[in-house]
């Protein structure tokens, strides 16, 4: 699980679920929208980061994609330059 906030907007947060992709809120957590469906090949997230220099730039590091995490690894780091739209 991972959480990252937008350094320029206190209402915007990203949440990386262990088995459910990346979710984004723009209203401080009242409503969450999945922004990773169709993009990731692994559901597990291990890290999230929002760039301080440009809050449109987001990085998501995947975690293990199998149930035995000690013997497997994620499938890399994904990035978005448009705040999770792509």
């Amino acid at each position: 699980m991972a959480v990252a906030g937008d350094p320029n907007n206190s209402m915007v947060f990203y949440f990386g679920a262990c088995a459910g992709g990346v979710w984004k809120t723009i209203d401080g957590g009242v409503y969450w929208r999945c922004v990773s469906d169709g993009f990731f090949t692994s559901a597990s997230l291990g890290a999230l980061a929002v760039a301080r220099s440009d809050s449109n730039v987001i990085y998501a590091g995947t975690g293990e994609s199998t149930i035995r995490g000690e013997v497997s690894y994620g499938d890399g780091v994904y990035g978005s330059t448009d705040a999770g739209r792509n």
Side-chain angles (χ1 to χ4, degrees):
M1 170 172 45
V3 177
D6 183 332
N8 302 310
N9 185 340
S10 63
M11 298 296 281
V12 176
F13 289 91
Y14 297 88
F15 171 75
C18 295
V22 176
W23 295 77
K24 178 182 181 180
T25 182
I26 59 172
D27 57 13
V30 174
Y31 175 78
W32 292 85
R33 179 177 57 93
C34 185
V35 295
S36 62
D37 281 353
F39 294 108
F40 294 175
T41 57
S42 175
S44 177
L45 266 287
L48 283 173
V50 179
R52 290 189 182 277
S53 59
D54 182 353
S55 58
N56 288 311
V57 178
I58 306 159
Y59 296 101
T62 61
E64 297 85 10
S65 57
T66 64
I67 197 162
R68 294 198 54 198
E70 73 275 3
V71 296
S72 64
Y73 49 87
D75 62 331
V77 175
Y78 289 84
S80 173
T81 57
D82 59 6
R85 286 185 289 280
N86 292 296

